[in-house]
Coordinates of all heavy atoms in Angstrom, one line a residue:
M1307 N 0.8 -1.2 -0.1 CA 0.0 -0.1 0.0 C 0.8 1.2 -0.1 O 0.5 2.2 -0.7 CB -0.9 0.0 1.3 CG -1.8 1.1 1.4 SD -3.0 1.1 0.2 CE -4.1 2.4 0.6
V1308 N 2.0 1.3 0.9 CA 2.7 2.4 1.0 C 3.5 2.5 -0.5 O 3.7 3.8 -1.0 CB 3.9 2.2 2.1 CG1 4.8 3.3 2.0 CG2 3.2 2.2 3.4
A1309 N 3.8 1.6 -1.1 CA 4.6 1.6 -2.4 C 3.6 2.2 -3.4 O 3.9 3.1 -4.4 CB 5.1 0.2 -2.9
S1310 N 2.3 1.9 -3.4 CA 1.4 2.4 -4.4 C 1.0 3.9 -4.0 O 0.7 4.6 -5.0 CB 0.2 1.4 -4.4 OG -0.6 1.7 -3.2
Q1311 N 1.0 4.2 -2.9 CA 0.8 5.6 -2.4 C 2.0 6.4 -3.0 O 1.8 7.6 -3.5 CB 0.7 5.8 -1.0 CG -0.6 5.3 -0.4 CD -0.7 5.5 1.1 OE1 0.2 5.5 1.8 NE2 -1.9 5.5 1.6
A1312 N 3.2 6.0 -2.9 CA 4.3 6.6 -3.4 C 4.3 6.9 -4.8 O 4.6 7.9 -5.4 CB 5.6 5.9 -3.0
A1313 N 3.8 5.8 -5.5 CA 3.7 5.8 -7.0 C 2.7 7.0 -7.3 O 2.9 7.6 -8.3 CB 3.3 4.6 -7.5
V1314 N 1.5 7.0 -6.5 CA 0.5 8.0 -6.9 C 1.1 9.3 -6.6 O 1.0 10.2 -7.5 CB -0.7 7.7 -6.1 CG1 -1.7 8.9 -6.2 CG2 -1.4 6.4 -6.6
K1315 N 1.9 9.6 -5.7 CA 2.3 10.9 -5.3 C 3.4 11.3 -6.5 O 3.4 12.3 -6.9 CB 3.1 10.9 -4.0 CG 2.1 10.8 -2.8 CD 2.9 10.7 -1.5 CE 1.9 10.6 -0.4 NZ 2.6 10.5 0.8
Q1316 N 4.3 10.3 -6.8 CA 5.3 10.5 -7.9 C 4.4 10.8 -9.3 O 4.9 11.7 -10.0 CB 6.2 9.4 -8.1 CG 7.2 9.6 -9.1 CD 8.1 10.8 -9.0 OE1 8.5 11.0 -7.8 NE2 8.4 11.4 -9.9
S1317 N 3.5 10.1 -9.3 CA 2.8 10.3 -10.6 C 2.1 11.7 -10.8 O 2.1 12.3 -11.7 CB 1.5 9.3 -10.7 OG 0.8 9.4 -11.8
A1318 N 1.5 12.2 -9.6 CA 1.0 13.7 -9.7 C 2.1 14.6 -10.0 O 1.9 15.5 -10.9 CB 0.4 13.8 -8.3
S1319 N 3.3 14.4 -9.5 CA 4.4 15.3 -9.7 C 4.7 15.2 -11.3 O 5.0 16.3 -11.9 CB 5.7 15.0 -8.8 OG 5.2 15.2 -7.5
T1320 N 5.0 14.0 -11.6 CA 5.4 13.8 -13.0 C 4.4 14.3 -14.0 O 4.7 14.9 -15.0 CB 5.5 12.2 -13.3 OG1 6.5 11.8 -12.3 CG2 5.8 11.9 -14.7
I1321 N 3.0 14.1 -13.7 CA 2.0 14.6 -14.6 C 2.0 16.1 -14.7 O 2.0 16.7 -15.7 CB 0.6 14.2 -14.1 CG1 0.4 12.8 -14.3 CG2 -0.5 15.0 -14.9 CD1 -0.7 12.1 -13.7
A1322 N 2.2 16.8 -13.6 CA 2.4 18.2 -13.6 C 3.5 18.8 -14.4 O 3.4 19.6 -15.2 CB 2.4 18.9 -12.2
I1323 N 4.7 18.2 -14.2 CA 5.9 18.5 -14.9 C 5.8 18.3 -16.4 O 6.1 19.0 -17.2 CB 7.1 17.9 -14.3 CG1 7.4 18.4 -12.9 CG2 8.3 18.1 -15.1 CD1 8.4 17.7 -12.1
E1324 N 5.2 17.1 -16.7 CA 4.9 16.7 -18.1 C 3.9 17.6 -18.8 O 4.3 18.0 -20.0 CB 4.6 15.3 -18.2 CG 5.7 14.3 -18.0 CD 5.2 12.8 -18.0 OE1 4.1 12.6 -18.2 OE2 6.1 12.0 -17.9
M1325 N 2.9 18.1 -18.0 CA 2.0 19.1 -18.6 C 2.8 20.4 -19.0 O 2.5 21.0 -20.0 CB 0.8 19.3 -17.6 CG 0.0 18.1 -17.6 SD -1.4 18.3 -16.3 CE -2.5 19.4 -17.2
S1326 N 3.5 20.9 -18.0 CA 4.2 22.2 -18.3 C 5.2 22.0 -19.4 O 5.4 23.0 -20.3 CB 4.9 22.7 -17.0 OG 5.9 21.7 -16.6
A1327 N 5.9 20.9 -19.6 CA 6.8 20.6 -20.7 C 6.0 20.6 -22.0 O 6.4 21.1 -23.1 CB 7.5 19.3 -20.6
Q1328 N 4.8 20.0 -22.0 CA 3.9 19.9 -23.2 C 3.4 21.4 -23.6 O 3.4 21.7 -24.8 CB 2.7 19.0 -22.9 CG 1.8 18.9 -24.1 CD 2.6 18.2 -25.4 OE1 3.5 17.4 -25.2 NE2 2.0 18.6 -26.5
M1329 N 3.2 22.2 -22.6 CA 2.8 23.5 -22.9 C 3.9 24.3 -23.6 O 3.7 25.0 -24.6 CB 2.6 24.3 -21.7 CG 1.3 24.2 -20.9 SD 1.1 25.0 -19.4 CE 1.5 26.6 -19.7
E1330 N 5.2 24.0 -23.2 CA 6.4 24.5 -23.9 C 6.4 24.2 -25.4 O 6.6 25.0 -26.2 CB 7.6 24.3 -23.1 CG 8.8 25.0 -23.6 CD 10.1 24.6 -22.8 OE1 9.9 24.2 -21.7 OE2 11.1 24.9 -23.4
V1331 N 6.1 22.9 -25.5 CA 6.1 22.3 -27.0 C 5.0 23.0 -27.7 O 5.3 23.5 -29.0 CB 6.2 20.8 -27.0 CG1 5.8 20.3 -28.5 CG2 7.4 20.2 -26.3
L1332 N 3.9 23.2 -27.2 CA 2.8 23.7 -27.9 C 3.0 25.2 -28.2 O 2.7 25.5 -29.3 CB 1.4 23.6 -27.1 CG 0.8 22.1 -26.9 CD1 -0.2 22.1 -25.8 CD2 0.3 21.5 -28.3
A1333 N 3.6 25.9 -27.3 CA 4.0 27.3 -27.6 C 5.0 27.4 -28.7 O 4.8 28.3 -29.5 CB 4.5 27.8 -26.3
S1334 N 5.9 26.5 -28.8 CA 6.8 26.7 -29.9 C 6.2 26.4 -31.1 O 6.7 26.9 -32.2 CB 8.1 25.5 -29.7 OG 7.6 24.2 -30.0
Y1335 N 5.0 25.7 -31.4 CA 4.3 25.5 -32.5 C 3.3 26.6 -32.7 O 2.6 26.6 -33.7 CB 3.6 24.2 -32.6 CG 4.5 23.0 -32.7 CD1 4.5 22.0 -31.7 CD2 5.4 22.9 -33.8 CE1 5.4 20.9 -31.9 CE2 6.2 21.8 -33.9 CZ 6.2 20.8 -32.9 OH 7.0 19.8 -33.0
G1336 N 3.2 27.5 -31.8 CA 2.2 28.6 -31.8 C 0.8 28.3 -31.5 O -0.2 29.0 -31.9
D1337 N 0.5 27.1 -30.9 CA -0.8 26.6 -30.5 C -1.2 27.2 -29.3 O -1.3 26.5 -28.3 CB -0.7 25.0 -30.6 CG -2.2 24.5 -30.5 OD1 -3.2 25.1 -30.4 OD2 -2.2 23.3 -30.8
W1338 N -1.5 28.4 -29.3 CA -1.9 29.2 -28.1 C -3.2 28.8 -27.4 O -3.3 28.9 -26.2 CB -1.8 30.7 -28.3 CG -0.5 31.0 -28.8 CD1 -0.1 31.5 -30.1 CD2 0.7 31.1 -28.1 NE1 1.2 31.6 -30.1 CE2 1.8 31.4 -28.8 CE3 1.0 30.7 -26.7 CZ2 3.1 31.5 -28.4 CZ3 2.4 30.8 -26.3 CH2 3.3 31.2 -27.2
D1339 N -4.1 28.2 -28.3 CA -5.4 27.8 -27.6 C -5.0 26.6 -26.8 O -5.7 26.5 -25.8 CB -6.4 27.3 -28.8 CG -6.8 28.7 -29.5 OD1 -6.9 29.8 -28.8 OD2 -7.3 28.5 -30.6
Q1340 N -4.3 25.7 -27.2 CA -4.0 24.5 -26.5 C -3.1 24.9 -25.3 O -3.3 24.1 -24.2 CB -3.2 23.4 -27.4 CG -4.1 22.8 -28.4 CD -5.2 21.8 -27.8 OE1 -5.1 21.3 -26.8 NE2 -6.5 22.1 -28.3
V1341 N -2.2 25.8 -25.5 CA -1.4 26.2 -24.3 C -2.3 26.8 -23.1 O -2.0 26.4 -21.9 CB -0.4 27.3 -24.6 CG1 0.1 27.9 -23.5 CG2 0.6 26.8 -25.6
E1342 N -3.3 27.6 -23.5 CA -4.2 28.1 -22.6 C -5.1 26.9 -21.9 O -5.2 27.0 -20.6 CB -5.3 29.1 -23.2 CG -6.0 29.8 -22.2 CD -6.9 30.9 -22.9 OE1 -6.7 31.2 -24.1 OE2 -7.7 31.5 -22.2
E1343 N -5.5 26.1 -22.6 CA -6.3 24.9 -22.2 C -5.5 24.0 -21.1 O -6.0 23.7 -20.2 CB -6.8 24.0 -23.3 CG -7.7 22.9 -22.8 CD -8.1 22.0 -24.0 OE1 -8.6 22.5 -25.1 OE2 -8.0 20.8 -23.9
L1344 N -4.3 23.8 -21.6 CA -3.4 23.0 -20.6 C -3.0 23.8 -19.4 O -3.0 23.3 -18.4 CB -2.2 22.6 -21.4 CG -1.3 21.5 -20.9 CD1 -2.2 20.2 -20.7 CD2 -0.3 21.1 -22.0
A1345 N -2.9 25.2 -19.6 CA -2.5 25.9 -18.3 C -3.6 25.8 -17.3 O -3.4 25.7 -16.1 CB -2.2 27.4 -18.7
V1346 N -4.8 25.8 -17.7 CA -6.0 25.7 -16.8 C -5.9 24.2 -16.1 O -6.0 24.2 -14.8 CB -7.3 25.9 -17.5 CG1 -8.6 25.4 -16.5 CG2 -7.5 27.3 -18.0
R1347 N -5.6 23.3 -16.9 CA -5.5 21.9 -16.2 C -4.4 21.7 -15.4 O -4.3 21.1 -14.5 CB -5.5 20.9 -17.4 CG -6.9 20.9 -18.1 CD -7.0 19.7 -19.2 NE -5.9 18.8 -19.3 CZ -5.4 18.4 -20.3 NH1 -5.6 18.8 -21.4 NH2 -4.5 17.2 -20.2
L1348 N -3.2 22.5 -15.8 CA -1.9 22.4 -14.9 C -2.3 23.0 -13.6 O -1.7 22.3 -12.6 CB -0.9 23.3 -15.7 CG 0.4 23.3 -15.0 CD1 1.1 21.9 -14.8 CD2 1.4 24.2 -15.8
R1349 N -3.0 24.0 -13.4 CA -3.3 24.4 -12.0 C -3.8 23.5 -11.1 O -3.3 23.2 -10.0 CB -4.1 25.7 -12.1 CG -3.6 27.0 -12.6 CD -4.4 28.1 -12.5 NE -3.9 29.2 -13.4 CZ -4.4 29.3 -14.6 NH1 -5.5 28.8 -15.1 NH2 -3.8 30.3 -15.4
A1350 N -4.7 22.7 -11.7 CA -5.5 21.5 -10.9 C -4.3 20.5 -10.7 O -4.4 19.9 -9.6 CB -6.7 21.1 -11.6
A1351 N -3.6 20.2 -11.7 CA -2.6 19.1 -11.5 C -1.6 19.4 -10.4 O -1.2 18.5 -9.7 CB -1.9 18.8 -12.9
V1352 N -1.3 20.6 -10.4 CA -0.2 21.0 -9.3 C -0.8 20.8 -8.0 O -0.2 20.4 -6.9 CB 0.3 22.4 -9.5 CG1 1.0 23.1 -8.2 CG2 1.2 22.5 -10.7
M1353 N -2.2 21.1 -7.9 CA -2.8 21.1 -6.5 C -3.1 19.7 -6.1 O -3.1 19.3 -5.0 CB -4.2 21.8 -6.6 CG -4.0 23.2 -6.8 SD -3.0 24.0 -5.5 CE -3.8 23.8 -4.0
D1354 N -2.9 18.7 -7.0 CA -2.9 17.2 -6.8 C -1.6 16.7 -6.1 O -1.6 15.6 -5.6 CB -3.2 16.4 -8.1 CG -4.7 16.5 -8.4 OD1 -5.5 16.9 -7.6 OD2 -5.1 16.2 -9.6
V1355 N -0.6 17.4 -6.5 CA 0.7 17.1 -5.9 C 0.8 17.2 -4.3 O 0.3 18.2 -3.8 CB 1.9 17.9 -6.5 CG1 3.2 17.6 -5.9 CG2 1.8 17.7 -8.0
P1356 N 1.3 16.2 -3.6 CA 1.4 16.4 -2.2 C 2.1 17.6 -1.7 O 3.1 18.1 -2.4 CB 2.1 15.0 -1.8 CG 1.9 14.1 -2.9 CD 1.8 15.0 -4.1
E1357 N 1.7 18.2 -0.7 CA 2.2 19.4 -0.2 C 3.8 19.5 -0.1 O 4.5 20.4 -0.5 CB 1.6 19.9 1.0 CG 0.6 21.1 0.8 CD 0.1 21.7 2.1 OE1 0.9 22.4 2.8 OE2 -1.1 21.3 2.4
N1358 N 4.2 18.3 0.4 CA 5.7 18.2 0.7 C 6.6 18.1 -0.5 O 7.7 18.3 -0.5 CB 6.0 17.0 1.7 CG 5.7 15.8 1.0 OD1 4.9 15.6 0.1 ND2 6.1 14.7 1.6
Q1359 N 5.9 18.0 -1.7 CA 6.6 17.8 -3.0 C 6.3 19.1 -3.9 O 6.9 19.2 -4.9 CB 6.1 16.5 -3.7 CG 6.6 15.3 -3.0 CD 6.1 14.0 -3.8 OE1 5.6 14.1 -4.9 NE2 6.1 12.9 -3.2
R1360 N 5.3 19.7 -3.5 CA 4.7 20.8 -4.3 C 5.9 21.9 -4.7 O 5.9 22.4 -5.8 CB 3.6 21.5 -3.8 CG 2.7 22.0 -4.8 CD 1.3 22.4 -4.2 NE 0.6 21.5 -3.8 CZ -0.4 21.4 -2.9 NH1 -0.8 22.5 -2.3 NH2 -1.2 20.4 -2.6
R1361 N 6.6 22.3 -3.7 CA 7.6 23.3 -3.9 C 8.5 22.9 -5.1 O 8.8 23.8 -6.0 CB 8.3 23.7 -2.7 CG 9.4 24.7 -2.8 CD 10.1 25.1 -1.6 NE 11.0 26.2 -1.8 CZ 11.4 27.0 -0.9 NH1 11.0 26.9 0.3 NH2 12.1 27.9 -1.1
N1362 N 9.1 21.7 -5.1 CA 10.0 21.4 -6.2 C 9.3 21.3 -7.5 O 10.0 21.6 -8.5 CB 10.7 20.1 -5.9 CG 11.7 20.2 -4.7 OD1 12.3 21.3 -4.5 ND2 11.8 19.1 -4.0
V1363 N 8.1 20.8 -7.5 CA 7.2 20.7 -8.7 C 7.0 22.1 -9.2 O 7.2 22.3 -10.5 CB 6.0 19.8 -8.4 CG1 5.1 20.0 -9.7 CG2 6.3 18.5 -8.1
I1364 N 6.7 23.0 -8.4 CA 6.3 24.3 -8.9 C 7.5 24.9 -9.4 O 7.5 25.7 -10.5 CB 5.7 25.2 -7.7 CG1 4.4 24.7 -7.4 CG2 5.8 26.7 -8.0 CD1 3.8 25.4 -6.1
K1365 N 8.7 24.8 -8.9 CA 10.0 25.3 -9.5 C 10.2 24.7 -10.9 O 10.6 25.5 -11.7 CB 11.3 24.8 -8.6 CG 11.3 25.7 -7.4 CD 12.5 25.4 -6.6 CE 12.7 26.1 -5.2 NZ 13.8 25.7 -4.6
A1366 N 10.0 23.3 -11.1 CA 10.1 22.8 -12.3 C 9.1 23.4 -13.4 O 9.5 23.7 -14.4 CB 10.0 21.2 -12.3
V1367 N 8.0 23.5 -13.0 CA 6.9 24.0 -13.8 C 7.2 25.5 -14.1 O 6.9 25.8 -15.3 CB 5.5 23.8 -13.0 CG1 4.4 24.7 -13.6 CG2 5.1 22.4 -12.9
Q1368 N 7.7 26.2 -13.2 CA 8.0 27.6 -13.5 C 9.1 27.8 -14.5 O 8.9 28.7 -15.5 CB 8.6 28.3 -12.2 CG 8.7 29.8 -12.3 CD 7.3 30.5 -12.7 OE1 6.4 30.3 -11.9 NE2 7.5 31.3 -13.6
R1369 N 10.0 26.9 -14.6 CA 11.0 27.0 -15.5 C 10.4 26.8 -17.0 O 10.7 27.5 -18.0 CB 12.1 25.8 -15.4 CG 13.0 26.2 -14.3 CD 14.3 25.2 -14.3 NE 13.9 23.9 -13.9 CZ 13.9 23.4 -12.7 NH1 14.1 24.2 -11.7 NH2 13.5 22.1 -12.5
H1370 N 9.4 25.9 -17.1 CA 8.7 25.7 -18.4 C 7.8 26.8 -18.7 O 7.9 27.3 -19.8 CB 7.9 24.4 -18.4 CG 8.8 23.1 -18.4 ND1 9.4 22.8 -19.5 CD2 8.9 22.1 -17.5 CE1 10.1 21.5 -19.2 NE2 9.9 21.3 -17.9
T1371 N 7.1 27.3 -17.7 CA 6.2 28.4 -18.1 C 6.9 29.8 -18.3 O 6.5 30.6 -19.0 CB 5.2 28.7 -16.9 OG1 5.9 28.9 -15.6 CG2 4.3 27.5 -16.8
D1372 N 8.2 29.9 -17.8 CA 8.9 31.0 -18.1 C 9.3 30.9 -19.5 O 9.2 32.1 -20.3 CB 10.2 31.1 -17.3 CG 10.0 31.5 -15.9 OD1 8.9 32.0 -15.5 OD2 11.0 31.4 -15.0
K1373 N 9.6 29.9 -20.1 CA 10.0 29.7 -21.6 C 8.7 30.0 -22.3 O 8.8 30.5 -23.4 CB 10.5 28.3 -21.7 CG 11.9 28.2 -21.2 CD 12.5 26.8 -21.4 CE 13.9 26.6 -20.8 NZ 14.3 25.2 -20.8
V1374 N 7.6 29.5 -21.9 CA 6.3 29.7 -22.7 C 6.0 31.1 -22.7 O 5.6 31.7 -23.7 CB 5.2 29.0 -22.0 CG1 3.8 29.4 -22.6 CG2 5.3 27.4 -22.1
A1375 N 6.2 31.9 -21.6 CA 6.0 33.4 -21.5 C 7.0 34.1 -22.5 O 6.5 35.0 -23.1 CB 6.2 33.8 -20.1
E1376 N 8.1 33.6 -22.5 CA 9.1 34.3 -23.5 C 8.7 34.0 -24.9 O 8.8 34.9 -25.7 CB 10.5 33.8 -23.3 CG 11.6 34.4 -24.2 CD 11.6 35.9 -24.2 OE1 11.4 36.4 -23.0 OE2 11.7 36.6 -25.2
Q1377 N 8.1 32.8 -25.2 CA 7.7 32.5 -26.6 C 6.4 33.3 -26.9 O 6.3 33.8 -28.0 CB 7.4 31.1 -26.7 CG 8.7 30.2 -26.7 CD 8.3 28.7 -26.7 OE1 7.2 28.3 -26.5 NE2 9.4 27.9 -26.8
A1378 N 5.6 33.6 -25.9 CA 4.4 34.4 -26.1 C 4.8 35.8 -26.4 O 4.2 36.5 -27.2 CB 3.5 34.4 -24.8
R1379 N 5.8 36.4 -25.6 CA 6.3 37.7 -25.9 C 6.8 37.8 -27.3 O 6.6 38.9 -27.9 CB 7.3 38.1 -24.9 CG 6.7 38.6 -23.5 CD 7.9 39.1 -22.7 NE 8.8 38.1 -22.1 CZ 8.6 37.4 -21.1 NH1 7.3 37.5 -20.3 NH2 9.4 36.6 -20.6
Q1380 N 7.5 36.9 -27.7 CA 8.2 36.7 -29.1 C 7.0 36.8 -30.1 O 7.0 37.5 -31.1 CB 9.1 35.8 -29.2 CG 9.8 35.8 -30.6 CD 10.6 37.2 -30.9 OE1 11.4 37.4 -30.0 NE2 10.4 37.7 -31.9
A1381 N 6.0 35.9 -29.8 CA 4.9 35.9 -30.9 C 4.1 37.1 -31.0 O 3.7 37.7 -32.0 CB 3.9 34.7 -30.3
R1382 N 4.0 37.7 -29.7 CA 3.3 39.1 -29.8 C 4.0 40.2 -30.5 O 3.4 40.9 -31.3 CB 3.1 39.5 -28.3 CG 2.3 40.8 -28.2 CD 2.1 41.2 -26.9 NE 1.3 42.4 -26.7 CZ 0.9 43.0 -25.6 NH1 1.3 42.6 -24.4 NH2 0.2 44.1 -25.7
Q1383 N 5.4 40.2 -30.3 CA 6.2 41.1 -31.1 C 6.0 40.8 -32.6 O 6.0 41.8 -33.4 CB 7.7 40.9 -30.8 CG 8.0 41.8 -29.4 CD 9.4 41.7 -29.2 OE1 10.2 40.7 -29.5 NE2 10.1 42.7 -28.6
D1384 N 6.1 39.7 -33.1 CA 6.0 39.3 -34.4 C 4.5 39.8 -34.9 O 4.5 40.3 -36.0 CB 6.0 37.7 -34.6 CG 7.5 37.3 -34.3 OD1 8.4 38.0 -34.2 OD2 7.6 35.9 -34.2
V1385 N 3.5 39.5 -34.2 CA 2.2 39.9 -34.6 C 2.1 41.4 -34.7 O 1.6 42.0 -35.7 CB 1.0 39.3 -33.8 CG1 -0.3 40.0 -34.0 CG2 1.0 37.8 -33.9
T1386 N 2.6 42.0 -33.8 CA 2.6 43.5 -33.7 C 3.3 44.0 -34.9 O 3.0 45.0 -35.6 CB 3.3 44.2 -32.4 OG1 2.5 43.6 -31.3 CG2 3.2 45.6 -32.2
G1387 N 4.5 43.5 -35.2 CA 5.3 43.9 -36.4 C 4.6 43.7 -37.7 O 4.5 44.6 -38.7
K1388 N 3.7 42.6 -37.9 CA 3.1 42.4 -39.0 C 1.8 43.4 -39.1 O 1.5 43.9 -40.2 CB 2.6 41.0 -39.1 CG 3.7 39.9 -39.3 CD 3.2 38.5 -39.2 CE 4.4 37.6 -39.3 NZ 3.9 36.1 -39.3
I1389 N 1.2 43.5 -38.0 CA 0.2 44.7 -38.1 C 0.7 46.0 -38.5 O 0.0 46.7 -39.4 CB -0.6 44.8 -36.6 CG1 -1.4 43.4 -36.5 CG2 -1.5 45.8 -36.6 CD1 -1.9 43.3 -35.0
H1390 N 1.8 46.2 -38.0 CA 2.5 47.6 -38.3 C 2.7 47.6 -39.9 O 2.5 48.6 -40.5 CB 3.7 47.9 -37.5 CG 4.5 49.0 -37.9 ND1 3.9 50.3 -37.5 CD2 5.5 49.3 -38.7 CE1 4.8 51.2 -38.0 NE2 5.7 50.7 -38.5
E1391 N 3.3 46.5 -40.4 CA 3.4 46.5 -41.8 C 2.2 46.6 -42.7 O 2.1 47.3 -43.6 CB 4.2 45.1 -42.1 CG 5.7 45.1 -41.8 CD 6.3 43.8 -41.9 OE1 5.7 43.0 -43.0 OE2 7.2 43.4 -41.3
L1392 N 1.2 45.9 -42.2 CA -0.1 46.0 -42.8 C -0.8 47.5 -42.9 O -1.2 47.8 -43.9 CB -1.2 45.0 -42.3 CG -1.0 43.5 -42.5 CD1 -2.0 42.8 -41.6 CD2 -1.2 43.3 -44.0
R1393 N -0.5 48.1 -41.6 CA -1.1 49.5 -41.6 C -0.4 50.4 -42.6 O -0.9 51.3 -43.2 CB -1.1 50.0 -40.1 CG -2.1 49.4 -39.4 CD -2.1 49.8 -38.0 NE -3.3 49.2 -37.2 CZ -3.2 49.1 -35.9 NH1 -2.2 49.5 -35.3 NH2 -4.0 48.5 -35.4
K1394 N 0.9 50.1 -42.5 CA 1.9 51.0 -43.5 C 1.6 50.8 -44.9 O 1.4 51.7 -45.7 CB 3.3 50.5 -43.3 CG 4.4 51.5 -43.5 CD 5.7 51.0 -43.0 CE 6.8 51.6 -43.7 NZ 8.0 51.1 -43.3
G1395 N 1.2 49.6 -45.3 CA 0.8 49.2 -46.6 C -0.6 49.8 -47.0 O -0.8 50.3 -48.2
Q1396 N -1.5 49.8 -46.0 CA -2.8 50.4 -46.2 C -2.7 51.8 -46.4 O -3.3 52.6 -47.2 CB -3.7 50.1 -45.0 CG -4.2 48.6 -45.1 CD -5.0 48.3 -43.8 OE1 -4.9 49.1 -42.8 NE2 -5.8 47.3 -43.8
A1397 N -1.8 52.5 -45.6 CA -1.6 54.0 -45.8 C -1.1 54.2 -47.2 O -1.4 55.3 -47.8 CB -0.7 54.5 -44.7
A1398 N -0.1 53.4 -47.5 CA 0.5 53.8 -48.9 C -0.4 53.6 -49.9 O -0.5 54.4 -50.9 CB 1.8 52.6 -49.1
K1399 N -1.4 52.5 -49.7 CA -2.4 52.3 -50.9 C -3.3 53.5 -50.9 O -3.7 54.0 -52.0 CB -3.2 51.0 -50.5 CG -4.3 50.7 -51.5 CD -5.1 49.6 -51.1 CE -6.2 49.3 -51.9 NZ -7.2 48.5 -51.4
K1400 N -3.8 54.0 -49.7 CA -4.6 55.3 -49.8 C -3.9 56.4 -50.4 O -4.6 57.2 -51.1 CB -5.0 55.6 -48.4 CG -6.0 54.6 -47.8 CD -6.5 55.0 -46.4 CE -7.5 54.0 -45.8 NZ -7.9 54.3 -44.4
A1401 N -2.6 56.6 -50.1 CA -1.8 57.7 -50.8 C -1.9 57.5 -52.3 O -2.0 58.6 -53.0 CB -0.5 57.8 -50.1
Y1402 N -1.7 56.4 -52.7 CA -1.6 56.3 -54.2 C -3.0 56.4 -54.8 O -3.2 57.0 -55.9 CB -1.1 54.8 -54.5 CG 0.4 54.6 -54.3 CD1 0.9 53.8 -53.5 CD2 1.3 55.6 -55.0 CE1 2.3 53.7 -53.3 CE2 2.7 55.4 -54.9 CZ 3.2 54.4 -54.1 OH 4.5 54.3 -53.9
E1403 N -4.0 56.0 -54.0 CA -5.4 56.2 -54.6 C -5.8 57.7 -54.7 O -6.4 58.1 -55.6 CB -6.4 55.5 -53.7 CG -6.3 53.9 -53.8 CD -7.2 53.3 -52.9 OE1 -7.8 53.8 -51.9 OE2 -7.3 52.1 -52.9
L1404 N -5.2 58.5 -53.8 CA -5.6 59.9 -53.8 C -4.7 60.6 -54.8 O -5.1 61.7 -55.2 CB -5.3 60.4 -52.5 CG -6.2 60.1 -51.3 CD1 -5.8 60.5 -50.0 CD2 -7.7 60.4 -51.6
A1405 N -3.7 60.0 -55.2 CA -2.7 60.8 -56.2 C -3.1 60.8 -57.5 O -4.0 60.1 -58.2 CB -1.4 60.1 -56.2

């Protein structure tokens, strides 16, 4: 019984860490809807981790989520740049139409 309880506790930790790693992979593909969905489930998974193990799991999860956040910032910059280019193109088009 003790061995199975240890396996369950380890499993909860492993699941939370694997979920955060999966979020990082999804973010690298730009699948932000799935990242968001997994983030919601990750919160619950972390709460399933026994309290005495939670701190270490949270540190591991944080490393992954920091990378996800950086990828999100980069994606946002990319989108902002593209929007800027589109607006610039639209302004040029209007200028040519008026000429």
Side-chain angles (χ1 to χ4, degrees):
M1307 179 71 173
V1308 173
S1310 65
Q1311 286 177 338
V1314 169
K1315 289 179 185 177
Q1316 180 62 35
S1317 178
S1319 298
T1320 302
I1321 289 169
I1323 293 169
E1324 286 177 357
M1325 287 174 78
S1326 64
Q1328 183 63 28
M1329 281 176 52
E1330 188 178 340
V1331 170
L1332 291 167
S1334 72
Y1335 291 121
D1337 193 347
W1338 300 108
D1339 291 333
Q1340 289 295 321
V1341 169
E1342 185 177 356
E1343 182 181 310
L1344 201 51
V1346 171
R1347 292 180 22 223
L1348 178 60
R1349 288 184 198 103
V1352 169
M1353 295 310 295
D1354 288 341
V1355 175
E1357 254 185 79
N1358 64 342
Q1359 297 175 9
R1360 204 172 290 161
R1361 183 178 182 152
N1362 290 333
V1363 170
I1364 289 173
K1365 284 181 182 181
V1367 167
Q1368 186 66 47
R1369 284 190 294 272
H1370 289 291
T1371 55
D1372 286 347
K1373 291 176 184 175
V1374 170
E1376 181 55 39
Q1377 291 174 352
R1379 280 189 285 277
Q1380 184 60 50
R1382 183 177 181 185
Q1383 278 183 328
D1384 293 347
V1385 168
T1386 300
K1388 288 177 184 177
I1389 290 172
H1390 179 70
E1391 288 176 24
L1392 286 171
R1393 287 184 180 153
K1394 204 170 156 182
Q1396 287 174 340
K1399 180 183 173 196
K1400 285 181 183 178
Y1402 286 121
E1403 288 174 352
L1404 294 175

